[in-house]
Amino acid sequence: MTTDQNNMQVSLPQRSIRIENLFKEYVPGKPILKDISFEVQGKSSVAIIGASGTGKSTLIRCVNKLIPPTAGNVFISGENITKLQGSELREARRKIGMVFQEFNLVERLSVMENVLCGRLGYLTPWRAWLRKYPQTDIDQAYELLESMGLYDFARQRADSLSGGQRQRVGIARAVMQDPHVLLADEPTSSLDPKTSVEIMELLVALSEAHDIPLVINIHDVELAKRFTSRIVGLSNGGIVFDGPPSELTEEHLKTIYGGASWLQ
Amino acid sequence: MTGVVKVKHSSPFKANWWGRFGWVLAILYAIYAANFLDVSWTRFVAGLGNGADFLSEMIPPNFTRWQLLLGNLLETVQMAVIASVFGILCSLPIGLCAARNLLPNWVTWPFRTFIALCRSFHPVIIAILFVKAVGFGPLAGILTLVLASIGFIGKLFAEAIEEISMKPLEALRASGAPFSSVIVYGVLPQVLNRFIGFSSYQFDVNLRNSTMVGIVGAGGVGGTLFAAFQRFDYDFLAAILLSIIALVMMSEFMSVQIKKVFQ
Amino acid sequence: MSEIKVNTWERFTFGERMARFIVFFGFALALSISLRTVEVIPEFLLDAPTQVADLLARMWPLDYAYYPQGIHHALMETLHVATLGTLLGVLMAVPVGIMGANNIVRVPALHWLAKLILVSSRSVNSLVWALLFVAVFGPGPLAGTIAIGFRSVGFVGKLLAEALEETNPGPVEALTAAGAPWLSVFVKSYWPQVAPAFWGIFLFRWDINVRESAVIGLVGAGGIGMVLDTALNLFYWDRVSVVLLSIFVVVIVAELLVTNIRKRII
């Protein structure tokens, strides 16, 4: 398994996510996502910006089919997710790490258990029930926690942690999956400015260290410009901007967020 | 602020006419219902005399047949233990299958109907039917209490699950966890404490009910109690009642201790 | 650095595991002892499905004609027993509940007396209460009403005491500081705070009492239970099924009524 992975990293640098002509409508005739296409490869990071309600969250959930798209395709390292069902879909989801706005930890479980949750897709239900994780998983979890400065919190309950610490646990859980791509849905919205910067740094560093693409939904344009190499602007469910942060002008921001008075 | 128009203040305390009307209605109803039920003061007073005799015959309680009493109490406890274990074990999956936020409607409605059926009949009525079906004795009582437990815990457990936060479940689904692991990691930790609370409460309830189902022949101390009552053995009756109260209080104390372990 | 740390992980500490083990072991032990000693005849259990099927076959078809002549009056009697019993229980529970709330009454002796009354009321089943009052007042709805009342005291009193203990002491202090007499303090500061809880408790208990008053007739305390008892003793199974159906309908209607009213007032 491990050798296989090493081989893949050498021979297949293409850890990628490709979205093709994605549509999503909850009410027929009223699409919330219209013809979304973009591709991210390797260690590059993309920020998706847009006003609330433009379908950023829906888009990111269409990637791992938490919300099934109405039309279009999503490829994760070449595999089409949208056609998968049942256990095939679950196996594909293991390759997609996801970080959430409100961390989505199981509050009553310990930090360690939350991190190990990232391995549930690899574990038989019986072993999951008995908490019989392979030693390699436990070692990896401890290493991750140590690198994030959370080693001493491993036995504490998740709800005893601060927001920034919880988000780190959430990120550790996603990394435990050995993901091919990392999705983050507003990872900094529930955090203070300083912690937000730390979390963004952590996400970008992980993307580079593991050589995996990072897709972040974010409404904070400054953070997006500072940390990502590419920005995708959504407005009314369609892409209105796709390029490096340096090309993002105030004109673009006006089309994305509407109005101009906030741009002071 | 010159030339203020004098506003006529209404009384700051709004007279609650509906409330007062309600009290009058309640009193009128009580009189009507007492009439309907043929409840009268003379009967009540006559009863009080009987009650005094009754009480004086109960005191002092007669514990001479303590072996019979102890055996009966033991059977009561046994029934409660068996019924609680099986009832709780059954209500865990049944409650889970009745939670509408986890499963589609076509799965939940048969389970919810079953729970509603278990709840709507008093245990005594179920006990009567089981006595007819499986004969006199503790088996009928155990089956009764199992159904009652499913009705109670199943409903509360399903409601507890319907109130959980779905966010961790979303995260677990996104990581590709199989459905059963989502339940074990996402649902159970959120509801387990409440489930243990319901279960220990249900054990209490089962213990109380198992003292009662004997009255219709379904085993336990209730049978002896009914027999003592019919034979006008009131001092023994008092002994039985006192030991039932002691038993119930003991179990309340124990359930508090057990809950502490799982906190 | 990391080689000193032993990277093992287990869900619980040793102490937690032991405590859990003891509880589970205790239950397993109690269960196995109970299963071995309880006098259950397994053949009866195996035979149960056929017996139940037989029972159901005899219950069908339902003897609807019996409803107007034998059941309706008893059903009304049951409802009145439940309602009047609840009123009686609440009337008795209010003083006991006040006595049991440790933020209002600070006399330990009264406090313990209240606890004793509440616990004994709840420990004795309504059927047993009915039995006792049938002995005192003779068979009939009077015994049933009083039994329902006595049984309700513990439940209503306990919940009322808890609601009173959870009240905010602020308004109470304000009124006491203003020199209001005790009764005014109670009516104007405690009562508004506990009123919604009080009506909730009342309705909840009434719902329970409808179920209970349907069975206390089995020991002679009036209502539909007596009709059921007669039908059972005479093996009129088609009547039994009508009685059960009417109890079922009444119980469901009562529950729907209570849930709807509770939604309005809370």
Side-chain angles (χ1 to χ4, degrees), chain B residues 2-52:
Chain B
T2 48
V4 181
V5 182
K6 260 225 166 133
V7 179
K8 191 176 172 240
H9 290 286
S10 55
S11 162
F13 299 107
K14 194 173 48 174
N16 190 349
W17 288 111
W18 280 109
R20 289 176 199 179
F21 184 62
W23 289 113
V24 172
L25 216 64
I27 292 168
L28 285 179
Y29 167 77
I31 293 168
Y32 163 74
N35 241 351
F36 185 95
L37 297 178
D38 204 16
V39 172
S40 67
W41 188 247
T42 44
R43 275 195 70 189
F44 185 75
V45 172
L48 286 185
N50 279 340

Side-chain angles (χ1 to χ4, degrees), chain B residues 187-240:
Chain B
V187 180
L188 289 190
Q190 293 193 58
V191 293
L192 209 58
N193 259 31
R194 297 186 64 187
F195 183 71
I196 288 164
F198 302 150
S199 303
S200 65
Y201 178 73
Q202 184 61 34
F203 180 73
D204 266 9
V205 172
N206 281 345
L207 199 63
R208 283 159 211 237
N209 283 345
S210 69
T211 62
M212 163 193 73
V213 290
I215 292 177
V216 293
V221 75
T224 319
L225 182 122
F226 198 40
F229 173 79
Q230 283 177 321
R231 286 198 309 264
F232 307 106
D233 231 350
Y234 292 144
D235 49 354
F236 187 41
L237 184 72
I240 298 172

Side-chain angles (χ1 to χ4, degrees), chain A residues 104, chain B residues 102 164-174 182 186-187 190:
Chain A
N104 293 17
Chain B
L102 296 182
I164 63 171
S165 157
M166 296 301 281
K167 289 177 184 290
L169 274 69
E170 185 188 33
L172 294 175
R173 280 201 192 108
V182 172
V187 180
Q190 293 193 58

